Amino acid sequence: MKININWRKTLLVTLDVLLAVYLVMAFTSWNEPDRSGDVCTKVVVNIADDNVNGFLNSAEIKSLLERRHLYPLAWKMKDVNPRQIEQALMRMPFVRTAQCYTTVDGHVCITITQRTPIVRVKSDNGDDYYIDDNGGVMPNSQYTSDMMIVTGRVSRHYACTYLYLLAQQLMSDPLWRNQIEQINMLPDMTVELVPRVGDHIVNIGRLPAADTDAARRAAIDEYVTKQMKRLTLFYKEGLKYAGWSRYDYINLEYANQIVCRKRDVEP
């Protein structure tokens, strides 16, 4: 079968389509204002959890971006690179996430979330740093908070793999979050807890070891839960009769007994 094609008609239709596309693009470009000369009139910094963590503030964000020659105020908007700003902020030790975007009214908006410290380590070797809720090290700063402090012979590896799990488990219970103010590590890796109420020290023994993160978390959670239940029972049934000032050392290290040391001179 022979098909006859009207090439002239086809060409005219094609030209009509191209002309229509051109006119649409032309009208669109004529209606849109030229924004190539727009400048940044405002930089908005939102630190999502500054009332909780308080490590960062807007002035520090501005100072960092100025040092990196990335603070965009009065820049032409076409020269602002949100991705580059995000990458610079993510290098800050206290930043967990950073997002940056621009608006048509000349604003550059920055939103930051901070890492959450759960314990401060002040080791015998002079180290002074925070551990966050993912087991990461955060440098010491002028920030102060009512959080647990770890003292004694503490390596960074042990703090990041074991002690942060211990701190998380203690903080998950409102009683121990408010009662325990210090964790002290003895040279043999035995853990001592220093409570706020009661002039005594609690020895909970050594934390169980495990090869993987999941196994380590499960083992420590189980062990700490068991030991703190024993301590709760002793507080309720033992100190209720003996008095909170009678003992200066409570040892939970042994499975089937609680060994207490009497205070030499009772207050």
Side-chain angles (χ1 to χ4, degrees):
M1 178 184 293
K2 183 176 181 181
I3 300 176
N4 295 321
I5 300 176
N6 191 331
W7 293 105
R8 182 177 181 181
K9 185 177 180 179
T10 302
L11 179 60
L12 289 175
V13 171
T14 302
L15 290 175
D16 287 342
V17 172
L18 292 175
L19 179 60
V21 172
Y22 169 77
L23 290 175
V24 170
M25 294 179 64
F27 280 119
T28 302
S29 62
W30 290 337
N31 291 331
E32 283 190 6
D34 181 11
R35 297 191 177 277
S36 61
D38 287 2
V39 299
C40 173
T41 58
K42 187 176 183 180
V43 179
V44 181
V45 178
N46 176 33
I47 302 176
D49 46 3
D50 59 344
N51 61 330
V52 178
N53 293 339
F55 280 97
L56 299 171
N57 55 49
S58 298
E60 290 174 313
I61 300 302
K62 177 182 178 182
S63 176
L64 172 96
L65 294 177
E66 286 178 338
R67 293 196 303 270
R68 302 285 180 87
H69 305 290
L70 290 173
Y71 193 67
L73 188 63
W75 284 21
K76 288 185 177 181
M77 293 297 288
K78 66 182 181 65
D79 295 330
V80 177
N81 187 332
R83 177 61 176 165
Q84 194 173 15
I85 292 174
E86 290 174 353
Q87 290 175 340
L89 294 173
M90 286 298 295
R91 296 189 186 101
M92 298 183 72
F94 300 114
V95 172
R96 185 187 297 276
T97 64
Q99 293 182 327
C100 178
Y101 62 91
T102 60
T103 66
V104 294
D105 55 354
H107 293 179
V108 175
C109 301
I110 299 170
T111 300
I112 290 173
T113 61
Q114 302 180 72
R115 294 167 65 186
T116 303
I118 60 171
V119 67
R120 182 174 182 176
V121 178
K122 301 188 73 173
S123 176
D124 287 349
N125 62 15
D127 277 350
D128 188 351
Y129 53 90
Y130 298 97
I131 301 293
D132 70 9
D133 53 353
N134 290 318
V137 174
M138 302 171 63
N140 183 23
S141 72
Q142 299 302 315
Y143 172 80
T144 58
S145 177
D146 189 17
M147 69 176 63
M148 294 180 193
I149 297 177
V150 176
T151 57
R153 186 170 297 181
V154 187
S155 68
R156 291 204 176 198
H157 173 73
Y158 193 80
C160 294
T161 53
Y162 284 91
L163 291 183
Y164 94 96
L165 294 173
L166 168 62
Q168 278 187 331
Q169 180 64 14
L170 292 174
M171 291 178 62
S172 68
D173 187 314
L175 170 63
W176 304 122
R177 182 171 61 246
N178 294 311
Q179 169 71 340
I180 304 302
E181 64 178 353
Q182 182 179 343
I183 300 170
N184 184 58
M185 295 298 302
L186 298 179
D188 65 352
M189 307 307 291
T190 297
V191 178
E192 294 180 333
L193 304 179
V194 181
R196 298 180 190 275
V197 178
D199 187 15
H200 58 262
I201 294 174
V202 179
N203 182 332
I204 65 170
R206 299 182 187 182
L207 297 178
D211 294 332
T212 66
D213 292 340
R216 192 159 43 244
R217 179 180 293 276
I220 290 176
D221 286 356
E222 180 182 1
Y223 180 80
V224 174
T225 298
K226 179 186 70 176
Q227 295 295 69
M228 302 316 285
K229 283 183 178 179
R230 295 176 66 203
L231 181 61
T232 300
L233 183 62
F234 179 74
Y235 277 173
K236 290 180 178 179
E237 302 300 331
L239 295 186
K240 180 172 66 174
Y241 301 103
W244 285 81
S245 61
R246 185 169 187 179
Y247 303 113
D248 63 5
Y249 204 84
I250 300 170
N251 194 337
L252 306 175
E253 187 174 7
Y254 308 104
N256 298 317
Q257 59 181 327
I258 297 177
V259 180
C260 298
R261 184 177 67 196
K262 287 186 178 180
R263 192 180 309 278
D264 290 337
V265 179
E266 294 191 14

